């Protein structure tokens, strides 16, 4: 038996099929080959959040019932996993389960495995969607709330009766947008959910959509609603933030014009919207022009702490690192130059 040095080896040696997901930003899969390179320290973690890797490790055998670990590992200044942390977690696993993972755990074993510093619990909304996505991917049954949610979004129950709809039913629909006309039902329902009385249902739906890829017609409808809100005489900044997050899985043809509309209006530079862009739509900040506009609006919030946190977070993302770093020495405005100077001074003081 080969010595086990990383999670992939342990999973493969146990003859399990597995998938790795990032849960820090959007719920998105990480290719197994890429994850092996990350584990070996050959490349940085692709989706860092606040200098941590937030992982869901899902594995299953012939029974198709998946086991899931939610893991959180610190990253170094280069965005690399610490091999010692991986080794320590493997030690917890092998002490609790042995060298094979296909066995059922006793309550004592489960407790022993849970008592380690690398596990974390995602928030309830993200947990609900993740479980729906996994069950859809493995062709497992939906929750008991699925059919009721379909009836609601078809308009059969009355739009104001959103209190009867379970979140798990919404996430089941969102994780199956291409099945049973779910994408069409949601797209046609959206205009009915913008009223004040139905906004809780709208926010629940938008929160689920931010973690999946959107069909173009649904993305187009969300984009239109977001643009309408941006152009309103008194725009709802929190609703715009929710639309931005929901569109993070849309084609850039929809997302980029929305971001340009936001950057063009100083009154939309609310911290909630800028946090949404940084947390969910970071891939759209991959040009110096858009990165500069984003940082300028962030500087104009006059919240230096938030500026420092978001800059430090974005510069850790491998695909953005060499877009954001040059801005430290070349900035388009005095406001942004001052914010970046304050950031550098604080960094030097540490």
């Amino acid at each position: 038996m080969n010595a086990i040095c990383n999670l992939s080896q342990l999973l493969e040696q146990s003859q399990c099929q597995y998938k790795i997901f990032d849960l820090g930003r959007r719920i998105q899969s990480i290719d197994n080959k890429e994850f092996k390179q990350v584990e070996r320290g050959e490349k940085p973690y692709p989706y860092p959040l606040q200098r941590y890797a937030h992982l869901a490790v899902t594995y299953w055998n012939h029974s198709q019932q998946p086991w899931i670990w939610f893991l959180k590992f610190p990253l170094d200044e280069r965005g690399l996993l610490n091999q010692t942390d991986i080794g320590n977690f493997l030690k917890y696993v092998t002490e609790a389960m042995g060298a094979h993972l296909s066995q059922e755990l006793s309550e004592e074993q489960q407790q022993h495995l849970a008592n380690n510093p690398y596990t974390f619990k995602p928030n309830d909304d993200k947990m609900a969607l993740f479980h729906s996505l996994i069950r859809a991917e493995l062709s497992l049954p939906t929750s008991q709330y699925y059919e009721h949610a379909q009836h609601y979004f078809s308009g059969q129950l009355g739009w104001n009766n959103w209190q009867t709809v379970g979140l798990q039913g919404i996430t089941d629909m969102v994780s199956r947008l291409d099945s049973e006309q779910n994408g069409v039902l949601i797209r046609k329902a959206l205009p009915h959910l913008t009223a004040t009385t139905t906004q809780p249902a709208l926010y629940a739906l938008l929160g689920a959509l931010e973690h999946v890829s959107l069909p173009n017609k649904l993305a187009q409808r969300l984009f239109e609603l977001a643009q309408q809100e941006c152009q309103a005489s008194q725009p709802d900044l929190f609703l715009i933030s929710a639309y931005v997050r929901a569109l993070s899985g849309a084609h850039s043809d929809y997302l980029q014009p929305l971001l340009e509309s936001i950057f063009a209006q100083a009154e939309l530079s609310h911290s909630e919207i800028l946090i949404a862009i940084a947390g969910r739509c970071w891939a759209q900040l991959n040009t110096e022009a858009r990165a500069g506009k984003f940082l300028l609006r962030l500087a104009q919030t006059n919240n230096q702490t938030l500026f420092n946190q978001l800059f430090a977070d974005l510069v850790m993302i491998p695909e953005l690192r060499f877009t954001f770093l040059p801005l430290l020495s070349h900035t388009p405005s005095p406001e942004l130059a001052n914010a970046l100077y304050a950031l550098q001074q604080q960094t030097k003081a540490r």
Side-chain angles (χ1 to χ4, degrees):
M1 185 181 295
N2 296 327
I4 298 173
C5 301
N6 54 52
L7 289 170
S8 298
Q9 281 182 303
L10 178 62
L11 292 161
E12 290 171 356
Q13 189 165 292
S14 300
Q15 298 183 321
C16 293
Q17 298 182 66
Y18 67 95
K19 286 185 72 72
I20 310 295
F21 294 84
D22 174 69
L23 262 68
R25 293 182 174 276
R26 300 178 67 239
I27 298 176
Q28 52 199 331
S29 63
I30 301 175
D31 179 76
N32 287 355
K33 182 179 178 181
E34 181 180 15
F35 184 67
K36 290 177 183 179
Q37 294 175 303
V38 171
E39 283 188 294
R40 294 193 295 261
E42 296 172 2
K43 64 185 303 183
Y45 185 74
Y47 311 115
L49 179 67
Q50 298 174 354
R51 291 191 66 161
Y52 277 88
H54 296 76
L55 294 168
V57 179
T58 306
Y59 64 95
W60 63 96
N61 53 26
H62 301 297
S63 70
Q64 287 290 297
Q65 288 293 332
W67 290 277
I68 302 171
W69 296 334
F70 296 111
L71 305 175
K72 181 178 177 181
F73 292 108
L75 303 169
D76 67 15
E77 66 280 355
R78 299 166 295 172
L80 299 177
L81 286 173
N82 187 316
Q83 300 301 304
T84 301
D85 290 322
I86 297 292
N88 288 341
F89 176 71
L90 289 173
K91 183 179 178 182
Y92 282 107
V93 173
T94 54
E95 285 177 353
M97 305 176 68
H100 291 279
L101 304 180
S102 55
Q103 61 183 357
E104 292 291 337
L105 295 185
S106 68
E107 187 173 336
E108 183 180 353
Q109 287 174 310
Q110 290 176 354
Q111 188 64 35
H112 183 77
L113 181 56
N115 289 335
N116 75 79
Y118 303 107
T119 58
F120 81 103
K121 183 181 179 182
N123 65 45
D124 291 343
D125 292 358
K126 192 173 286 187
M127 185 85 82
L129 182 61
F130 181 74
H131 281 293
S132 290
L133 288 170
I134 290 298
R135 297 184 74 81
E137 183 151 333
L138 298 183
S139 300
L140 296 172
T142 60
S143 73
Q144 61 183 314
Y145 307 104
Y146 175 56
E147 189 175 345
H148 187 77
Q150 287 182 309
H151 288 318
Y152 174 76
F153 285 102
S154 68
Q156 296 177 28
L157 306 181
W159 299 113
N160 287 333
N161 291 323
W162 54 266
Q163 299 95 332
T164 66
V165 183
L167 176 61
Q168 197 73 62
I170 295 174
T171 60
D172 283 346
M173 286 188 69
V174 165
S175 65
R176 296 165 175 80
L177 289 175
D178 295 330
S179 301
E180 302 182 45
Q181 295 289 299
N182 286 329
V184 175
L185 290 177
I186 288 172
R187 173 167 55 85
K188 291 183 176 180
L190 277 167
H192 300 283
L193 303 180
T194 56
T196 303
T197 54
T198 54
Q199 278 199 355
L202 177 62
Y203 275 103
L205 174 62
L206 296 178
L209 289 171
E210 64 189 67
H211 296 288
V212 299
S213 297
L214 300 182
N216 284 339
K217 287 185 177 179
L218 178 54
Q220 177 68 36
R221 180 62 55 84
L222 287 167
F223 170 72
E224 291 168 356
L225 292 171
Q227 287 284 45
Q228 288 174 20
E229 197 61 40
C230 287
Q231 295 162 9
S233 57
Q234 292 184 309
D236 184 332
L237 300 175
F238 290 92
L239 183 55
I240 293 172
S241 171
Y243 281 131
V244 167
R245 291 171 182 269
L247 279 162
S248 59
H251 192 278
S252 59
D253 286 351
Y254 302 103
L255 194 49
Q256 287 180 9
L258 177 59
L259 297 191
E260 291 296 340
S261 294
I262 290 170
F263 295 150
Q265 301 179 65
E267 62 272 20
L268 299 182
S269 297
H270 186 273
S271 58
E272 191 74 19
I273 295 175
L274 297 174
I275 290 170
I277 294 171
R280 296 288 185 263
C281 308
W282 71 92
Q284 304 304 320
L285 303 177
N286 61 347
T287 68
E288 186 174 328
R290 277 196 296 274
K293 290 176 183 177
F294 170 81
L295 289 178
L296 175 58
R297 291 308 190 194
L298 185 56
Q300 289 171 343
T301 65
N302 294 314
N303 186 337
Q304 188 65 44
T305 299
L306 180 63
F307 184 95
N308 294 353
Q309 289 173 341
L310 293 188
F311 186 94
D313 197 37
L314 290 167
V315 83
M316 284 287 289
I317 299 174
E319 64 183 293
L320 297 184
R321 189 172 184 85
F322 295 105
T323 301
F324 277 78
L325 282 178
L327 292 170
L328 290 170
S329 56
H330 174 68
T331 59
S333 76
E335 290 170 296
L336 180 52
N338 290 337
L340 288 168
Y341 177 76
L343 166 67
Q344 290 172 297
Q345 292 302 112
Q346 183 171 330
T347 303
K348 290 177 182 177
R350 291 176 180 172

